[in-house]
Amino acid sequence: MSDPQPTPTSLDYSPEHLTQRFQTLQAEFDLGLREASTPEELEDLRLKWEGRKQGRLTLLSSLWLKEAPAEKKKEIGQRFNALKDHIVSELQRAAGSRGQNVLDAEAIDITQPGTRRRLGAEHPLIRTWNEIVKIFQAMGYSVGVGPEVETDYYNFESLNFPPGHPARDTQDTLVITGQERKPLRDRLLMRTHTSPVQIRTMEQQPPPVRIVIPGKVHRNDAADATHSPIFHQVEGLCVDTNITFSDLKGTLDHFMKALFGSSVKTRFFPSFFPFTEPSADVQISCPFCGGKGCRKCKYSGWIELLGCGMVDPAVFGFVQQKQPAYDPKKISGFAFGMGIDRVAMMSYGISDISLMYSGDLRFLEQFA
Ligand code: PHE
């Protein structure tokens, strides 16, 4: 390797000469850096340039910089500093990329076992929730949310449960305290069903509407193997011109077949909800025994899964206070509400609903 003198051979301080000399020095360092392939060679290079007594930077500074005429010192100093910065940072980078400074400092002990991150599994409830939502999305439904702390107006009154109506007793819940001074319609409670989001959705947008709303609901029910004071529902709402009960039947029949298999049959029974007319309960043929009768369907061959019906004109009346387009003479719709927990329990053979809220890893690991 050629080894040009770092010190000037002449007293030429012209800018051209300085540029050339510093370029030559930097090129020499760069070549050395490229050729240094082992940690030892890198250390030799470092000593050659950065060494405190005989290092070239030291020599350059003492022999050249210090000797330069006063008026040239600034310019030479700047060039010298640029070269020094280049050398220092390149050497650091090279040492770092070869793992030198990390290992030298013993910052980590590479013989220690690493941290194992255990993969989580989707909770059976959330898995069921997603499966249900996906089937409706494929039919063009959007997905909505609503508040779990709801007003009396949205949870009951606008759904045609007038104050004092006996149907309210079937959905007893927790109410927020200290609201006696508010009018009844503004008092807060934990929502007892996802149906209030029907009203909230229609107030926000004119028809047509096709939406599913999954979420958590609360009721003052004693906990047992099949009841929990907190559980989950999916609400469905479809409003447009000429929506009929046949549309409701076809939609839910398709949904049940998509969820449980194409051999599953559905049947509709008259029922009552204040906010649908007519109303129905929907049963499916038992997907476990094919309708012959087994323990899961209590030997009846059928399992009841949801409530539904045609949106009551009185409900459209409440919505019209904000969205006049919901004129029951021009549009119609259907709605349904289904418990997600029950479907999850059925799908995965879970015998006790409280298992889903226990956070017990022995339970959850079975779904990993
Ligand atoms: N909200 C009703 C319930 O919780 C279910 C339902 C929803 C019924 C929509 C009809 C229409 O029991």
Side-chain angles (χ1 to χ4, degrees):
M1 194 206 295
S2 76
D3 195 1
Q5 282 295 310
T7 49
T9 50
S10 73
L11 296 178
D12 185 352
Y13 291 110
S14 71
E16 297 75 30
H17 184 72
L18 289 176
T19 302
Q20 194 221 322
R21 286 221 52 98
F22 276 98
Q23 275 175 354
T24 310
L25 285 164
Q26 182 162 329
E28 192 196 341
F29 167 79
D30 288 344
L31 181 67
L33 187 64
R34 254 176 281 132
E35 286 177 349
S37 52
T38 64
E40 293 74 32
E41 283 168 2
L42 204 58
E43 179 60 9
D44 285 347
L45 185 73
R46 193 185 69 75
L47 285 175
K48 177 172 171 184
W49 289 90
E50 290 182 345
R52 248 198 308 148
K53 288 205 178 121
Q54 291 299 309
R56 299 191 128 193
L57 289 173
T58 309
L59 295 176
L60 264 174
S61 140
S62 60
L63 298 178
W64 197 12
L65 193 54
K66 291 221 176 81
E67 298 304 313
E71 76 277 9
K72 286 284 174 188
K73 274 203 170 129
K74 189 173 171 211
E75 191 190 350
I76 299 177
Q78 280 169 348
R79 291 173 188 265
F80 174 81
N81 284 337
L83 176 68
K84 186 175 166 184
D85 287 348
H86 173 76
I87 290 173
V88 169
S89 67
E90 286 296 299
L91 280 173
Q92 260 175 10
R93 207 162 57 93
S97 70
R98 287 165 214 195
Q100 288 302 297
N101 50 9
V102 181
L103 287 183
D104 288 352
E106 288 188 80
I108 53 164
D109 175 0
I110 58 165
T111 63
Q112 284 230 325
T115 322
R116 181 164 296 175
R117 289 184 196 281
R118 303 218 293 167
L119 266 192
E122 211 169 28
H123 192 285
L125 182 77
I126 299 301
R127 200 183 285 187
T128 306
W129 164 317
N130 288 336
E131 279 167 13
I132 295 171
V133 165
K134 229 187 250 169
I135 295 170
F136 282 100
Q137 278 181 311
M139 288 193 269
Y141 280 64
S142 55
V143 186
V145 287
E148 284 170 35
V149 180
E150 195 44 287
T151 61
D152 186 277
Y153 179 75
Y154 284 111
N155 195 79
F156 289 125
E157 198 176 331
S158 63
L159 288 164
N160 209 23
F161 293 79
H165 193 279
R168 286 181 173 229
D169 297 344
T170 63
Q171 298 197 2
D172 187 16
T173 187
L174 292 167
V175 297
I176 313 293
T177 56
Q179 303 185 86
E180 292 72 16
R181 272 190 278 139
K182 286 187 188 169
L184 178 65
R185 54 171 281 149
D186 295 334
R187 292 187 199 164
L188 298 172
L189 44 83
M190 305 309 290
R191 69 177 176 192
T192 58
H193 51 174
T194 42
S195 299
V197 198
Q198 286 186 33
I199 311 294
R200 290 184 174 277
T201 304
M202 290 190 277
E203 285 184 349
Q204 293 300 315
Q205 64 176 94
V209 170
R210 278 170 187 74
I211 193 168
V212 282
I213 306 119
K216 190 180 283 177
V217 301
H218 304 252
R219 287 196 197 171
N220 185 12
D221 281 344
D224 63 26
T226 55
H227 293 86
S228 158
I230 297 175
F231 60 105
H232 299 78
Q233 291 187 330
V234 180
E235 193 77 12
L237 175 70
C238 168
V239 182
D240 205 339
T241 47
N242 301 318
I243 298 292
T244 67
F245 201 88
S246 303
D247 296 315
L248 170 59
K249 286 186 77 174
T251 303
L252 290 180
D253 189 68
H254 167 79
F255 165 72
M256 293 302 181
K257 287 179 163 65
L259 193 62
F260 293 107
S262 55
S263 58
V264 157
K265 294 191 196 66
T266 49
R267 62 181 193 184
F268 289 67
F269 283 88
S271 184
F272 173 78
F273 300 100
F275 43 95
T276 47
E277 180 60 31
S279 304
D281 286 329
V282 179
Q283 298 183 346
I284 60 166
S285 58
C286 179
F288 300 102
C289 62
K292 284 196 212 68
C294 66
R295 264 188 57 200
K296 297 225 164 117
C297 58
K298 300 200 186 86
Y299 301 97
S300 72
W302 295 89
I303 295 177
E304 189 165 309
L305 274 188
L306 60 78
C308 64
M310 302 306 291
V311 178
D312 194 302
V315 170
F316 287 136
F318 282 101
V319 173
Q320 278 191 294
Q321 295 171 17
K322 291 209 174 142
Q323 282 282 1
Y326 285 90
D327 179 351
K329 290 196 196 70
K330 296 187 182 136
I331 48 107
S332 55
F334 64 75
F336 58 86
M338 172 174 36
I340 305 178
D341 306 64
R342 281 202 61 195
V343 176
M345 288 171 74
M346 260 181 66
S347 306
Y348 297 106
I350 299 164
S351 54
D352 189 334
I353 191 170
S354 70
L355 283 168
M356 294 210 281
Y357 302 111
S358 63
D360 189 331
L361 280 178
R362 291 168 302 179
F363 170 74
L364 296 171
E365 274 167 357
Q366 297 178 63
F367 303 94

